[in-house]
Amino acid sequence: MEFLTAWLADYLIGESDDWVPRTLLGWIRVGLLACLIGQLIYLIHACIALSVPLILWFSVLANVLALVIVRRLLRWRYPV
């Protein structure tokens, strides 16, 4: 089990996007992505269980738009 976790950690560190330094903008991107994943998980659960509030759809769209803007800002600030 330890070999598997060590291999997975080494793989994930090797696949990380090193071009994005851990600045405030980088952490904002990570936070927005985490919120989007949480919203999509809740959306899947809500679609199965009950009706989906309209504000959830707007918040998912706003989150995607914010992620696109932050990604463009990061590409502009730290070109590869």
Side-chain angles (χ1 to χ4, degrees), residues 1 10 12 15 18-19 23-24 28-29 33-34 36 39 41 44-49 54 56 58 61 65 78-79:
M1 185 67 177
D10 184 47
L12 290 176
E15 293 295 316
D18 293 331
W19 62 272
T23 60
L24 180 60
I28 288 172
R29 184 185 78 153
L33 189 58
L36 181 65
Q39 286 174 334
I41 290 172
I44 291 169
H45 171 71
C47 283
I48 294 172
L54 188 61
L56 181 63
F58 288 128
L61 289 175
L65 181 64
Y78 305 104

Side-chain angles (χ1 to χ4, degrees), residues 42-52 57:
Y42 178 74
L43 185 65
I44 291 169
H45 171 71
C47 283
I48 294 172
L50 53 121
S51 65
V52 177
W57 292 108

Side-chain angles (χ1 to χ4, degrees), residues 49-74:
L50 53 121
S51 65
V52 177
L54 188 61
I55 190 131
L56 181 63
W57 292 108
F58 288 128
S59 67
V60 168
L61 289 175
N63 197 345
V64 168
L65 181 64
L67 270 170
V68 168
I69 291 171
V70 168
R71 180 176 167 85
R72 294 216 181 237
L73 286 173
L74 282 169

